[in-house]
């Protein structure tokens, strides 16, 4: 019977470390902010199932670390806040930042397209 308990304990340790590594190395990639935060919450909940609650501050750090470079200024502003932030608040701010980045990218494409059309017209 001790062998079964040892085996179960070992199995839980492997599961815990696997899920912990997933949380520490998660990247936003092509996920939307909503999908990304939902995935992080799911991983953190999975860790809680194997008896290890993840500190909210750690979840915030992992979330920020997985963001792509265009979120650099946003990450800095969150990390330099004097007051701690809740994951729900970070989620809302990330949604706003995602929208802002989408608008900025669309505006840049529009400006480039306009410049290319104007250049073609001028060369006629």
């Amino acid at each position: 019977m001790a062998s079964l308990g040892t085996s179960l304990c070992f199995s839980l340790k492997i599961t815990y470390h696997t899920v912990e590594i997933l949380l520490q190395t998660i990247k936003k990639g092509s996920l939307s902010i909503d999908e990304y935060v939902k995935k992080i919450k799911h991983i953190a909940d999975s860790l809680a199932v194997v008896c290890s609650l993840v500190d909210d501050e750690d979840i915030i750090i992992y979330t920020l670390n997985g963001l792509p470079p265009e979120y650099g200024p946003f990450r800095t502003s969150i990390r330099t806040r004097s007051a701690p932030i809740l994951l729900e608040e970070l989620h809302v701010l990330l949604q706003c930042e995602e929208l802002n980045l989408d608008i900025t990218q669309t505006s840049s494409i529009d400006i480039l397209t306009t410049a290319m059309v104007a250049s073609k017209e001028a060369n006629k």
Side-chain angles (χ1 to χ4, degrees), residues 14-28 31 34-56 58-59 62-63 66 87:
I14 289 174
T15 302
Y16 167 79
H17 289 299
T18 302
V19 176
E20 185 179 41
I21 289 168
L22 280 174
L23 185 59
Q24 292 172 353
T25 59
I26 190 167
K27 300 291 180 205
K28 179 185 172 295
L31 298 173
D34 287 334
E35 294 167 329
Y36 177 59
V37 172
K38 184 177 180 180
K39 190 172 182 178
I40 289 171
K41 287 179 180 179
H42 176 73
I43 294 170
D45 290 345
S46 297
L47 277 171
V49 167
V50 290
C51 302
S52 179
L53 291 177
V54 182
D55 185 61
D56 287 348
D58 289 338
I59 295 174
Y62 298 141
T63 303
L87 185 58

Side-chain angles (χ1 to χ4, degrees), residues 33-34 37 41 86-95:
I33 286 298
D34 287 334
V37 172
K41 287 179 180 179
L86 299 172
L87 185 58
E88 292 76 20
E89 184 182 0
L90 177 65
H91 187 180
V92 170
L93 292 173
L94 279 168
Q95 288 172 324

Side-chain angles (χ1 to χ4, degrees), residues 56-57 60 78-87 89-90:
D56 287 348
E57 190 173 319
I60 300 294
I78 297 299
R79 286 186 173 133
T80 57
R81 287 173 55 121
S82 57
I85 187 170
L86 299 172
L87 185 58
E89 184 182 0
L90 177 65

Side-chain angles (χ1 to χ4, degrees), residues 9 17 20 51 58 65 70 76 100 102 106 114 119 123:
C9 184
H17 289 299
E20 185 179 41
C51 302
D58 289 338
N65 288 346
E70 58 266 23
T76 301
N100 182 46
D102 287 346
T106 302
T114 303
S119 176
N123 290 330

Side-chain angles (χ1 to χ4, degrees), residues 84-121:
I85 187 170
L86 299 172
L87 185 58
E88 292 76 20
E89 184 182 0
L90 177 65
H91 187 180
V92 170
L93 292 173
L94 279 168
Q95 288 172 324
C96 293
E97 185 66 10
E98 180 180 50
L99 181 61
N100 182 46
L101 289 171
D102 287 346
I103 290 169
T104 301
Q105 184 178 12
T106 302
S107 296
S108 296
I109 291 170
D110 290 346
I111 290 169
L112 181 59
T113 304
T114 303
M116 289 172 60
V117 169
S119 176
K120 283 185 180 181
E121 293 297 320

